[in-house]
Amino acid sequence: MTAIADLRYASAMLQWDQETYMPPNGAARRGQQIATLDEQAHAQFTSDETKRLLETLLTDNSLSASQQKNVELCWYDFNKAHKLSAAFVGKLSLCINKSFHAWVAAKNADDFALFEKDLQALIELKQEEAQLKGYVAHPYNALLNDYERGSTVAQLDQLFGGLEPKLKALLQTVQIQQQPSTQFLQQHFPKAAQMSWGNALVEALHYDTQSGRQDISEHPFTINFNAKDVRITTRIDEADFSNMTWSCIHELGHALYEQGLPDEEYGLPLGEAASLSMHESQSRLWENCVGRSLEFWQHYLPMLRQHFPEQFKQVEPLDFYRAINIVQPSLIRTEADELTYHFHVMIRYELEKELISGSLKAKDLPAAWNAAYQQKLGIAVPNHRKGCLQDVHWSHGSFGYFPTYSLGSMYAAQIFQAASKAIGDLPQKIAAGQTQPLLDWLRLNIHRHGRQYGSEELCILATGQPLNPDSFIAYLTDKLTKVYN
Ligand code: ZN
């Protein structure tokens, strides 16, 4: 398993380089180099030798509990990977490559027609993948399961169905209030000052820079090669202060999780994160529950002022807090506030279900998208670039990924509530710049377990109950009451 992990992480290293420092002309060969390593890793993992080894270990009674868990999870992964033939994986990979480039061209030209045919072909392959993987009730369940084990349409319909009216009611309440001023966020923030601010911030929040580094990329991401080398990236927009700051804290949350995974389980399931939604819970917890709290800025506004003395000269923590938490229906998911964000996810979720069941065709996607934005957020979509072409996910074939974002936010609120209860005076600690106790709690209750437990199990262990969206609604209501007086 170590050799397979080595191949996978070598591929990840090439990807990191591709997104950060690779000169543009390196792209063509780089795609091929990554594909070769991925194929090698897939072939080794799905080989007869791996199968025999796992079968032997499954009946080996001398293994410790954690060794048994590793074998059990490897067996699950093996069977999942084995359901797709090498020929199918190759076909899918080619289709994804083609559709990604078509999406880039379509987005740049704001012309959906350039993407439509490749998208439809990719959807049909994903439908085939769902058949190969097998499912109960809805083909989309097979794809959901890839990103969140055990997640189903029935469960998500219920979750979003309960969430939507509560969010709508909150949105209506804040929309009739006077909006806080956000003017001071739209000034000029030089690139170099933003970078040094971002680096100082993640270090202050206990990102281990001896086991990681931060660089610039087009889209921020976290990538790990082992628990002692976890890298993050950020992007800088000189006209928008928010963009970099909260993406920095978000990726930091992902990175702290990876740095807290048991290093001795390298290459094994117990050395991996529990799930995508649990990963997102960690990023959202730091970004929103901590990084968008009043207490946090009571401590960090003076430090921010050192980096931008002119821009924040007159700003008080409470005004800052109000400005960064303003709620407003908008077009772009990644720029959405904590409330309306989930409408963006629900829209994608509903459309994905229809695309995968076949009741919606790619050619009808823009119209369905625009109608959904009108219906759920009350806004008109002016062009495809700001509409159905905004996210990369579908061009990658990642159908079923979006719901994990909402699940992550809800887990975050519930986990943060449990941590606050356990720590006692967490708000005061955050206001004093002491986030180590929170990190210690997360290390103990979430990080160190790796993939030992699924999302739901881990949530119960850490918080005492299964996922309950009411924690999120209570968190949001409390925050918006402060923001909007
Ligand atoms: Zn994230």
Side-chain angles (χ1 to χ4, degrees), residues 11-13 15-16 221-225 229-232 258:
S11 162
M13 179 58 83
Q15 284 167 40
W16 171 81
F221 64 93
T222 302
I223 195 163
N224 62 299
F225 313 106
D229 188 354
V230 182
R231 305 186 188 188
I232 53 179
E258 291 288 342

Side-chain angles (χ1 to χ4, degrees), residues 36 65 130 147 204 214 222 269 295 298 342 385 391 455 482 485:
T36 299
Y147 300 107
Q214 177 162 245
T222 302
E295 293 81 11
Q298 282 167 344
H342 301 282
R385 203 196 307 233
D391 295 305
S455 315
K482 276 193 267 177
N485 264 333

Side-chain angles (χ1 to χ4, degrees), residues 448-476:
R448 74 181 167 107
H449 295 304
R451 255 177 89 190
Q452 174 81 38
Y453 309 105
S455 315
E456 192 81 351
E457 249 180 312
L458 190 53
C459 180
I460 294 170
L461 268 176
T463 73
Q465 58 166 328
L467 181 62
N468 179 357
D470 288 346
S471 296
F472 174 67
I473 294 293
Y475 155 81
L476 205 53

Side-chain angles (χ1 to χ4, degrees), residues 38 51-52 65 69 101 111 125 129 131 140 176 197 207 269 278 284 294 326 356 374 377 414 431:
D38 289 350
K51 189 175 185 217
R52 275 195 301 273
K69 191 72 194 180
H101 291 294
D111 183 358
L125 275 181
E129 185 184 324
Q131 297 302 330
Y140 186 54
I176 53 169
W197 153 247
Y207 176 57
M278 210 33 86
R284 297 244 148 201
L294 177 58
I326 192 169
I356 297 303
Q374 192 65 58
L377 282 164
Q414 193 168 325

Side-chain angles (χ1 to χ4, degrees), residues 9-22:
Y9 290 126
S11 162
M13 179 58 83
L14 292 182
Q15 284 167 40
W16 171 81
D17 176 69
Q18 176 169 266
E19 305 274 336
T20 51
Y21 295 108
M22 186 187 73

Side-chain angles (χ1 to χ4, degrees), residues 102-103 105-116 384-385 389:
W103 170 75
K107 193 176 176 187
N108 286 336
D110 189 26
D111 183 358
F112 182 76
L114 296 177
F115 181 43
E116 185 204 308
H384 300 314
R385 203 196 307 233
L389 289 176

Side-chain angles (χ1 to χ4, degrees), residues 415-437:
I415 291 169
F416 187 69
Q417 193 184 49
S420 306
K421 226 168 131 185
I423 295 168
D425 54 350
L426 187 56
Q428 290 86 331
K429 286 200 161 73
I430 291 175
Q434 297 161 8
T435 52
Q436 186 70 51

Side-chain angles (χ1 to χ4, degrees), residues 250-251 254 279-280 283-284 287 401 405:
H250 181 96
E251 298 309 326
H254 282 303
H279 228 305
E280 194 66 8
S283 56
R284 297 244 148 201
E287 177 193 357
Y401 196 116
Y405 291 138

